[in-house]
Amino acid sequence: MRAMIFAAGLGSRLKPLTDRIPKALVPVGGVPLLHRLLIKLHAAGCTHAVINVHHHAGQITDFIAARNYGMRIEISDESGMLLDTGGGLRRAAAFFPGNEPVLLHNVDILSNLKLDTFAASMKPDSLAQVAVSDRSSSRQLLFDEGNRLAGWRNVQTGATRPADIDAATLATLHPHAFAGIHVVSPRIFGLMSGWPEKFSIMDFYLNVMQKEKIVAYRQNGLAILDVGKTDTLAAADDFTAKYGL
């Protein structure tokens, strides 16, 4: 398994903690988020991980250099410009030659998702497979009866993408919350040609979904916690203890 960890974010929702350390090194139960994720990836059979860095980049590179996780770890440096998830993935393309899919994981996501099962389950004809849950979220991905991405909705504002989804069509779609974990075919790099230097991978998915298969993955009993903000960080210790993470 090959993986990319999105760790370049500013961690603005975790200020003032992230004024002095990157979000990736914020501790949960005394253990930095990045360390937890790398241990989990290795246990799932990951042999090669790429970490993108921007905010306090040197702290992350020093942290990795001082440890051995039993796999190849490389740094995709975005110190000059934060590229968002889509631009960050494309910047890292050279680290992922060949035809093996790439697992993508936000560093601030804790879950009991079985990463090896998830990565191995993506069908060859899919461009991407996204882990989803039925938890409450103000932003939802919408999937059709064939489990294929068909749109997006902001629950609070009512905005949708595409903007012209009518009420009848909307009623047939199944809303789910994105878990911040996905696996992509290496074909994705070629399809990103022509996109701006900085862009969101979710914007990319919504743009290509009519031509490419982007499917949902649901794990029974999936538990997800986004620790990218202070209120959920406070609950993270109990979450990791409950699910043995």
Side-chain angles (χ1 to χ4, degrees):
M1 180 197 300
R2 306 186 296 178
M4 180 170 181
I5 298 172
F6 291 122
L10 299 175
S12 301
R13 295 178 298 167
L14 286 174
K15 282 180 172 289
L17 186 58
T18 47
D19 287 337
R20 59 180 179 83
I21 61 173
K23 178 169 59 175
L25 298 185
V26 168
V28 169
V31 180
L33 286 166
L34 180 60
H35 181 80
R36 285 182 174 276
L37 180 51
L38 286 168
I39 292 295
K40 183 175 182 178
L41 284 168
H42 181 255
C46 183
T47 57
H48 178 202
V50 173
I51 306 166
N52 71 340
V53 296
H54 174 81
H55 184 57
H56 294 305
Q59 291 188 36
I60 297 177
T61 55
D62 290 346
F63 183 86
I64 295 301
R67 291 161 178 80
N68 181 2
Y69 288 96
M71 58 180 159
R72 180 183 178 190
I73 299 177
E74 296 181 284
I75 300 296
S76 182
D77 191 352
E78 297 179 21
S79 296
M81 179 180 178
L82 189 59
L83 300 176
D84 208 334
T85 47
L89 176 61
R90 186 175 58 186
R91 167 70 66 86
F95 293 109
F96 298 114
N99 298 317
E100 185 183 352
V102 181
L103 175 75
L104 310 177
H105 201 302
N106 292 357
V107 75
D108 54 2
I109 294 293
L110 296 173
S111 81
N112 64 352
L113 182 68
K114 297 176 181 178
L115 297 180
D116 50 352
T117 303
F118 171 63
S121 66
M122 189 174 79
K123 300 294 191 294
D125 62 340
S126 294
L127 180 69
Q129 177 173 273
V130 297
V132 299
S133 71
D134 293 326
R135 74 188 191 282
S136 176
S137 175
S138 61
R139 292 171 293 181
Q140 299 173 327
L141 295 180
L142 307 173
F143 296 87
D144 64 20
E145 293 293 340
N147 200 41
R148 184 167 172 167
L149 182 64
W152 171 93
R153 174 174 63 183
N154 186 315
V155 175
Q156 295 177 337
T157 66
T160 63
R161 295 181 61 186
D164 59 353
I165 298 180
D166 58 63
T169 301
L170 194 59
T172 68
L173 301 178
H174 304 279
H176 297 289
F178 177 44
I181 309 169
H182 29 162
V183 60
V184 298
S185 163
R187 290 194 300 109
I188 199 169
F189 297 117
L191 295 173
M192 287 177 167
S193 175
W195 279 70
E197 189 172 8
K198 177 179 180 178
F199 64 97
S200 161
I201 197 167
M202 196 55 63
D203 287 344
F204 173 82
Y205 286 161
L206 292 166
N207 182 270
V208 303
M209 65 186 179
Q210 293 183 345
K211 295 182 179 180
E212 298 286 345
K213 284 184 66 175
I214 298 162
V215 300
Y217 178 91
R218 305 170 189 83
Q219 175 182 288
N220 290 334
L222 179 63
I224 294 280
L225 185 67
D226 176 351
V227 292
K229 47 189 177 180
T230 52
D231 57 341
T232 50
L233 180 61
D237 288 358
D238 289 341
F239 183 89
T240 55
K242 179 178 180 179
Y243 295 101
L245 303 175

